[in-house]
Amino acid sequence: MDIDVRPSEDAAKFLATDQLVWFNEVTNADADHLRLGLPEDQRFVVDLPDGPDDLHSGIYGVRPMELSLPGGGALAPIAGLTWVGVHPDMRRRGVLAAMMTDHLARTHDAGLAISALHASEHKIYGRYGYGMAALQLQATLGRGTTFTAPHLEDEAASITTQLVTMSHDGVPERMRACQSSLAAAFPGTIVGSPDYFSLMALEPAEALRDKEPRRVLFARRDGEDVGFVGLRREHKWDHARPSGTVSVGTFCGAPAARLALARRVVDLDLMGTTKLENIGADDPLLGWIGGPRATGDLQTWDSTWVRLVDLEAAWPLRSYDDDCDVVVEVNDRYAPWNAGRWRLTAAGGEGKAHRTDEGPHITLDVNILGAGFLGRGIGALLRAGLVREHRDGAYVALARAMRTLVEPEPSIGF
């Protein structure tokens, strides 16, 4: 059965479908979340003939975003896939496959080479060509944790910090300007639109209740913002002693700025524990504290999933640390224009991709290329049996060319 995916014409119905699928508490601010979260022309729906009249059979949306790629160049525009949901009664009917196919076709037609997402369920998106491209760590630290970074001390000493409320006028704009200015140096960083930063700051009274409003801690040098991190504190008293927890979001800034911010967040009054919710796999913080056992708890999660929508256009967008020249047979069911044999080269840091009739050196699914596109190591996937190598050493050359010196940054959830 052909399933029609079309632009949404009813914001209220789109929102009501999302509220059913995600079953969060319904608040008066939900319409603002939709308004700021998704442009009107980037909302798409499915209505099956026997589906509900008052709700859609499926919905998805796209955020216009920018992604920092290896090489320190300009940010690449991407399609940030989000708000994906299928009505509970319409599951196992092909709705999700139809929406994913539609999204990839629309993204390709719009001239965008890359789609990215954060996966609510990790088993879903690999089969649609997305690769797990960045990891995030969650760690807990005790009050007053010591950070040792002797060669950053002078630079960190020149940085001050400023605590402000995220929803105050001008703060989202400061956050976005700071992240945009630094993103190129940190591959994996995703920068949202101005509306997206306004959305992060949106906290109506009914959503707060007994919670503290989100705060932002800025790192500043000579009157300029050089980094920031979001946080929220939670009161707790244990045997008449303050033992609250401060939850800390994604760090933005060069290492010295992050050091100054890290030292501040582990030394807040009335707090006993600092929970770092989103640090990179190679974040310098673990080196500053002496390794993972210096944390109270350390967990690893998937962060950004990357999909090469247009392999030919995407391959030259980033730089490569090693050279390679391989013929790859790419399997791509949902973006058939990518399927087939490609000669992928990297020389002097620059990459090129073009069609070829030569015999393949490697056979892989397109999600493998997405997994390595931000620089995360993918060499072990050959050993895992997820890649087939026809010429000895060909996959090693490809994996080495794509890998970067450090793991990519995690991105803020979207």
Side-chain angles (χ1 to χ4, degrees):
M1 177 181 68
D2 289 335
I3 295 177
D4 180 46
V5 184
R6 58 180 177 78
S8 169
E9 298 176 350
D10 187 335
K13 189 173 180 179
F14 188 100
L15 180 59
T17 306
D18 178 79
Q19 290 168 334
L20 173 67
V21 170
W22 291 97
F23 53 87
N24 292 324
E25 180 182 0
V26 174
T27 74
N28 293 331
D30 286 350
D32 288 329
H33 278 268
L34 177 60
R35 175 179 57 82
L36 294 171
L38 293 178
E40 290 186 11
D41 63 349
Q42 296 299 316
R43 307 168 190 171
F44 304 96
V45 301
V46 168
D47 290 303
L48 296 183
D50 59 344
D53 293 330
D54 57 336
L55 298 171
H56 296 297
S57 299
I59 61 171
Y60 83 85
V62 178
R63 300 190 201 273
M65 311 187 95
E66 295 177 298
L67 172 63
S68 175
L69 299 175
L75 302 179
I78 64 167
L81 183 63
T82 187
W83 285 62
V84 181
V86 176
H87 190 290
D89 293 341
M90 300 293 106
R91 296 176 67 241
R92 305 291 187 263
R93 303 280 295 275
V95 173
L96 180 59
M99 293 194 300
M100 295 302 298
T101 302
D102 180 79
H103 167 61
L104 296 175
R106 290 181 189 274
T107 301
H108 185 253
D109 291 346
L112 297 178
I114 300 170
S115 174
L117 57 82
H118 278 246
S120 54
E121 296 195 45
H122 69 281
K123 295 182 178 180
I124 294 177
Y125 293 99
R127 65 177 181 263
Y128 297 109
Y130 289 81
M132 187 174 62
L135 298 178
Q136 68 180 65
L137 305 181
Q138 293 184 355
T140 57
L141 302 176
R143 172 80 179 266
T145 295
T146 298
F147 301 98
T148 304
H151 302 297
L152 290 176
E153 292 298 346
D154 289 345
E155 187 178 356
S158 69
I159 295 172
T160 60
T161 58
Q162 177 192 31
L163 184 65
V164 298
T165 301
M166 189 179 293
S167 60
H168 283 184
D169 288 347
V171 174
E173 292 81 1
R174 286 175 63 186
M175 293 168 62
R176 186 175 190 274
C178 185
Q179 189 184 51
S180 296
S181 69
L182 294 164
F186 297 93
T189 301
I190 291 181
V191 182
S193 66
D195 276 350
Y196 177 68
F197 278 81
S198 296
L199 176 63
M200 285 198 295
L202 180 65
E203 289 194 297
E206 63 267 24
L208 282 174
R209 294 187 177 147
D210 61 345
K211 297 178 182 177
E212 175 187 29
R214 291 194 189 101
R215 314 290 188 187
V216 180
L217 187 65
F218 282 102
R220 294 172 63 78
R221 182 192 293 116
D222 298 329
E224 300 291 334
D225 295 329
V226 294
F228 70 86
V229 69
L231 61 88
R232 193 194 318 260
R233 295 165 295 181
E234 180 181 355
H235 273 288
K236 182 181 179 182
W237 294 83
D238 188 9
H239 301 293
R241 294 179 176 85
S243 54
T245 296
V246 54
S247 297
V248 178
T250 305
F251 284 88
C252 174
R258 295 186 187 206
L259 179 60
L261 292 168
R263 285 174 169 165
R264 179 76 189 279
V265 298
V266 299
D267 194 26
L268 294 171
D269 290 343
L270 305 181
M271 298 293 103
T273 300
T274 300
K275 181 180 179 182
L276 306 177
E277 297 184 328
N278 195 17
I279 59 175
D282 279 340
D283 194 282
L285 183 138
L286 291 179
W288 295 335
I289 63 175
R293 281 196 286 171
T295 68
D297 183 33
L298 185 67
Q299 300 184 47
T300 304
W301 307 92
D302 51 302
S303 180
T304 315
W305 292 67
V306 167
R307 212 303 180 179
L308 302 189
V309 178
D310 186 332
L311 173 56
E312 185 173 20
W315 191 257
L317 290 178
R318 55 156 291 181
S319 69
Y320 298 86
D321 288 351
D322 282 295
D323 294 351
C324 74
D325 187 347
V326 294
V327 176
V328 181
E329 182 85 36
V330 177
N331 299 319
D332 194 340
R333 175 181 176 186
Y334 292 95
W337 52 86
N338 279 335
R341 294 178 188 174
W342 294 89
R343 186 176 181 185
L344 302 181
T345 62
E350 296 184 356
K352 295 181 180 179
H354 61 264
R355 289 285 188 181
T356 182
D357 293 326
E358 299 177 55
H361 302 146
I362 307 164
T363 298
L364 49 71
D365 290 339
V366 71
N367 62 354
I368 303 295
L369 298 176
F373 200 67
L374 300 182
R376 179 171 171 255
I378 56 172
L381 300 182
L382 176 63
R383 182 182 297 176
L386 299 176
V387 176
R388 184 178 180 184
E389 189 178 56
H390 307 284
R391 188 191 75 184
D392 288 347
Y395 186 69
V396 171
L398 177 67
R400 284 178 174 170
M402 297 185 74
R403 187 165 189 172
T404 52
L405 179 63
V406 297
E407 290 275 313
E409 292 283 295
S411 60
I412 298 173
F414 58 88

